[in-house]
Amino acid sequence: MELSKNFEPGPIEEKWYQHWLQKEYFKSTPDHREAYTIVMPPPNVTGVLHMGHCLNNTIQDVLIRNARMHGKNACWVPGTDHASIATEAKVVAMLRERGIAKSSLSREEFLAYAWEWKEKYGGIILQQLKKLGCSLDWDRTSFTMDKDYYDSVIKVFIDLHQKGMIYRGKRMVNWDPVSQTALSDEEVIFKEVDSKLYYVQYQLAEDPSKHITVATTRPETILGDVAICVNPADERFENWVGKEVIVPLINRKIKVIADEYVEADFGTGALKITPAHDKNDHLIGTKHHLPIIDTLDATGKFTSVDLMPEQPSAQVLSYNGMDRFALRKKIVEDIEAIGKLEKTESYKGQVGTSERTGAVIESRLSMQWFMNMQLFMQKKPQTLSSVMQDEIQFHPAKTKNTYSHWMENIKDWCISRQLWWGQRIPAWYDAEGKCVVAANEASAKEAYKKEFGSEIQTLRQDEDCLDTWFSSWLWPMEVFKGISQPNNAEINYYYPTTTLVTGQDIIFFWVARMIMAGYEYKNDLPFKDVYFTGMVRDKQGRKMSKQLGNSPDLLGLIEQYGADATRFGIMIAAPAGNDLLFDESALEQGRNFNNKMWNALKLIKMWEGKQAPSSSTDNQFALDWFEQRLQQVKSEVQELMQQYRLSEALKTIYSLIWDDFCSWYLEWVKPGFEQPIDPAVYQQTISFYTELLQLLHPFMPFITEEIYHLLDKRSEDLCVRQAQTAQATKPAILEKGLLLKNAITGIRDVRNRQQIKPKETISLHIQTAQSDLYQSIESILGKQINSSSIQYADHSVANTFTTVIGKDTFYIESLQPINATQQKEELVKELNHLKGFLQSVEKKLSNEKFVQNAKPEVLALEQKKQSDALAKIQVIEDSLASIG
RNA sequence: GGGAGCAUAGCUCAGUUGGUUUAGAGCAUCUGCCUUACAAGCAGAGGGUCCGCGGUUCGAACCCGUGUGCUCCCA
């Protein structure tokens, strides 16, 4: 069989993925084994794969494949999220392009378009995950708007409403005037913007010659002013509190009030209070029983509806329908025209924007549905305590702080959204606005009768739908039908799931709420471990974004480097919870690693037809040593996997394959040119390589499966091959391996420094007290340093290069002329280093307090350091003396 | 304004309750090699005031305080 020069990933990936699917390796059904369950954080149904998904899903696949190879019943559930805001925004944009306005459509018509869109683009992302090699149980693919899922969300809403944890109320919400919906605090992004601070004068009602100046960034809300507030301790305004001032343009008389909320240092120390348009103003307004005057409509345009009782002037009425930003300009002009604008300053302020539409958020009073979080937390304190007491383990642990801080300051969750794409709120109203909550119209009518005592003919259902997170918080349960069919066999087997892998940015949106739902509906935690990934950033540490164009095309990368190399590149640089700085050179490293393994395969295949038994035991040490290294690394890797230190586990395997296996082991057992290999060594090498492939498989599934099958005839696939537990190691062999490596490296260093040509052989003389140790590794040593002979000496050898390794001295005989001065310099340098080291050790040992206080093993170690250093100094001094 | 986190080689990061040879790895760099598996490679090397200052301790990259810089979350 002819193997290509380099590894070619493309066709192999397709071949193996289809094979695994056909063998149903990814399929899971409950059985006697322990379940290892991961539910995939469902991506937006119309989303495309980006670097964040790549990181996230590669990690999950590594965990799932590792579990599958360790006797677990591995179940990884795929799915998508209907993502109400994002998807509806996309559909609205699509319709707009076709010249259709959402407002011209009925709810049913709009939803028909939305489903059409979902069928067309939904699930592309799941297909892309196959390219990455993700071993998902595709038969379990779920969608948060599947029939059962939808009904479960409604069921939960009704249930929580009955339990008194969901209520309806007028609240200050973050209003997005573009998508005309309320947003949760978490969906609002604060941005620093350059704005202006306008200094506006309010005349004193009783004496128009006096005025108070207010600094505001939002003059367009001035017509909604109901008070001026100052700090009670502010002496400047002592005489003003309780008096009336006049709001410019509208000439409304309002009171000056005092509240500690106002900071005397900011602006002029006087704050205008507009309860309809600012959260804090609303708080103060409520506290001081002030009226609320709303001057902006749902689209952010001026409306005089609330002003009508005051009979506004023609000027004020002319503002009607003006957009908030145009209005700001106009009002500033008009205030200036009446001489009430004192000055304007530029100001850097924070402004909230919508995560989805980018629009500047308005604080707005509106009727919304809320979940009472304080009440919930009183009922299910486990939501917090399970995390703090590590029943649910967060990785990295520092994320616990973030979690507890949020949970302890939890605010009510606004769960209604002014959207159509999503679960429609099961609330029904009569003409007067009286409300009942029920699953459908018929039961709503029944409920109405029960509650209000009269029959009703027509009820109108709430137009709004539920926050997306109000459906995804049920994800770990409802993918197993845990809500729609409680206590079915699957939910009881797979739940609690084992591990959740997700981004830190949705710890509150999603992780916290799944924990809540878990305790409420299953009385159990939803997962045992949470692995938080960081954000994927570019090389310069910038967030990846469409605007910056720094987000690489993932499928292009897979095409270019292969899925395995892509997985390698992202995993090698991804410590838990830290941001990942994506650098394409890591993928190159992954591709090079593929080639390295491919070439190791080629070497071993060359031996296939060239074998002859040998009586020589020259290779015995290489076999013994690599066996030990393998066992050692195997247990290290399992340890690291258990601690979720995946990138370190990969690094460890990488170095075992590249350095220990390829650079040391294969070179040690490689026969000379045209020489046959011993069949036992050949077989052992295949067995070693097989184990290495098995270790690496979770990280790089395609190439490992391919090489595994090329290496030998196999009756099973690597994908489901069960791992053997690591055996205890023999330290003596590992130590001897270290000695051998050090000797080889040390002598090669001398060859390099002395410019001894690679092809030129040398003669080696070893002066050592442990010559029997060297004899068993002599043939490997000789081969690796290209020596023609190795002898043992009990004294220095003239006309040689001298180097000291460990406690042994090596004399290297070659054709190169000897430079005694240079040799001396090098030895002296080494000697000085050792003497410095010895000094620091002796300083410790001569310290009485150290000797008294240090643990015995620490003391013994220091004493060993001392004697070792002394012995080595002696050896170097002898060598120096012999050079003369 | 409130809270959290981070700072170790040119870059990305390890460093497990303070003691493991006067700090480790990968990448990058430099030197020498087209050695019959691999130049996408091999062999070897150099490179650090562990952010500054102060403290605790026999002993600090690690603990405490403080300053500086960066990041994130919440107002």
Side-chain angles (χ1 to χ4, degrees), chain A residues 281-301:
Chain A
D281 287 15
H282 186 252
L283 281 175
I284 294 174
T286 313
K287 191 167 155 190
H288 295 266
H289 310 290
L290 298 170
I292 294 165
I293 301 172
D294 191 346
T295 60
L296 290 175
D297 69 10
T299 62
K301 293 192 173 69

Side-chain angles (χ1 to χ4, degrees), chain A residues 843-855 859:
Chain A
K843 200 175 138 199
K844 265 191 208 174
L845 284 169
S846 62
N847 184 333
E848 266 179 50
K849 284 188 173 169
F850 170 74
V851 179
Q852 277 167 18
N853 295 326
K855 283 179 265 178
L859 188 62

Side-chain angles (χ1 to χ4, degrees), chain A residues 61-327:
Chain A
D61 196 41
V62 169
L63 295 173
I64 275 288
R65 285 181 183 271
N66 185 60
R68 191 179 291 123
M69 294 169 94
H70 282 85
K72 305 279 168 57
N73 184 350
C75 180
W76 187 16
V77 181
T80 47
D81 190 308
H82 67 280
S84 58
I85 299 182
T87 306
E88 182 152 331
K90 277 186 191 171
V91 174
V92 167
M94 175 272 287
L95 289 170
R96 197 183 298 131
E97 261 176 44
R98 293 205 219 160
I100 306 170
K102 184 190 166 192
S103 53
S104 73
L105 299 174
S106 71
R107 187 186 191 103
E108 287 67 32
E109 285 166 339
F110 177 81
L111 286 177
Y113 279 118
W115 278 105
E116 187 190 307
W117 176 270
K118 184 256 169 189
E119 293 312 321
K120 194 165 169 196
Y121 298 103
I124 289 181
I125 195 161
L126 298 181
Q127 295 310 312
Q128 293 176 327
L129 287 173
K130 294 183 178 170
K131 291 254 182 294
L132 245 191
C134 294
S135 58
L136 287 145
D137 185 352
W138 295 106
D139 294 345
R140 295 181 178 276
T141 306
S142 296
F143 176 50
T144 52
M145 291 247 282
D146 285 341
K147 175 78 172 71
D148 282 353
Y149 205 113
Y150 190 111
D151 293 346
S152 301
V153 173
I154 300 301
K155 184 172 160 186
V156 162
F157 181 94
I158 295 169
D159 178 63
L160 289 173
H161 182 260
Q162 271 165 7
K163 290 173 179 161
M165 278 192 284
I166 284 181
Y167 66 92
R168 192 161 176 257
K170 210 166 193 195
R171 279 301 190 87
M172 207 72 181
V173 295
N174 304 302
W175 185 261
D176 177 348
V178 172
S179 60
Q180 295 187 41
T181 183
L183 300 178
S184 66
D185 287 348
E186 288 79 10
E187 289 163 315
V188 176
I189 298 166
F190 284 86
K191 285 186 185 155
E192 187 122 304
V193 292
D194 292 317
S195 67
K196 288 203 168 74
L197 204 49
Y198 302 92
Y199 287 74
V200 180
Q201 298 177 348
Y202 291 62
Q203 276 177 329
L204 185 63
E206 63 192 43
D207 180 358
S209 69
K210 288 183 179 164
H211 67 261
I212 193 165
T213 305
V214 170
T216 178
T217 56
R218 304 209 48 201
E220 71 277 16
T221 64
I222 209 162
L223 303 177
D225 285 357
V226 296
I228 298 293
C229 190
V230 297
N231 191 297
D234 195 335
E235 290 163 10
R236 294 173 295 178
F237 301 113
E238 239 173 6
N239 299 323
W240 286 79
V241 177
K243 296 200 169 137
E244 282 186 327
V245 295
I246 296 169
V247 181
L249 301 176
I250 185 113
N251 296 324
R252 179 185 304 135
K253 282 184 187 171
I254 58 173
K255 269 202 173 150
V256 177
I257 59 169
D259 195 290
E260 258 136 26
Y261 166 77
V262 179
E263 278 173 56
D265 314 344
F266 185 81
T268 61
L271 182 70
K272 72 188 200 64
I273 303 297
T274 324
H277 298 293
D278 184 277
K279 264 183 197 168
N280 293 313
D281 287 15
H282 186 252
L283 281 175
I284 294 174
T286 313
K287 191 167 155 190
H288 295 266
H289 310 290
L290 298 170
I292 294 165
I293 301 172
D294 191 346
T295 60
L296 290 175
D297 69 10
T299 62
K301 293 192 173 69
F302 183 78
T303 170
S304 58
V305 174
D306 271 12
L307 303 175
M308 293 323 276
E310 287 179 65
Q311 293 178 330
S313 65
Q315 184 187 19
V316 168
L317 287 174
S318 74
Y319 299 148
N320 264 323
M322 209 179 271
D323 182 77
R324 53 193 168 143
F325 298 114
L327 180 67

Side-chain angles (χ1 to χ4, degrees), chain A residues 18 158 254 406 413 419 639 730 751 817:
Chain A
Q18 288 311 319
I158 295 169
I254 58 173
W406 190 73
W413 176 14
L419 296 167
E639 179 88 24
K730 298 171 189 156
R751 291 188 64 121

Side-chain angles (χ1 to χ4, degrees), chain A residues 472-500:
Chain A
S472 42
W473 72 328
L474 307 177
W475 188 249
M477 282 182 277
E478 188 49 26
V479 295
F480 301 112
K481 309 274 182 212
I483 301 283
S484 46
Q485 298 157 37
N487 286 313
N488 71 68
E490 293 230 324
I491 185 84
N492 289 344
Y493 179 72
Y494 291 114
Y495 192 95
T497 68
T498 315
T499 305
L500 176 77

Side-chain angles (χ1 to χ4, degrees), chain A residues 576-622:
Chain A
N578 280 357
D579 285 355
L580 175 142
L581 274 78
F582 179 77
D583 186 348
E584 219 173 295
S585 70
L587 274 64
E588 239 170 86
Q589 198 188 339
R591 182 198 57 191
N592 296 351
F593 186 34
N594 276 343
N595 278 332
K596 188 71 188 175
M597 289 189 286
W598 189 248
N599 278 295
L601 169 73
K602 276 160 70 179
L603 176 66
I604 296 168
K605 291 313 271 185
M606 278 173 57
W607 301 339
E608 198 171 27
K610 212 178 285 174
Q611 295 174 42
S614 150
S615 56
S616 152
T617 55
D618 286 356
N619 287 322
Q620 194 53 50
F621 179 73

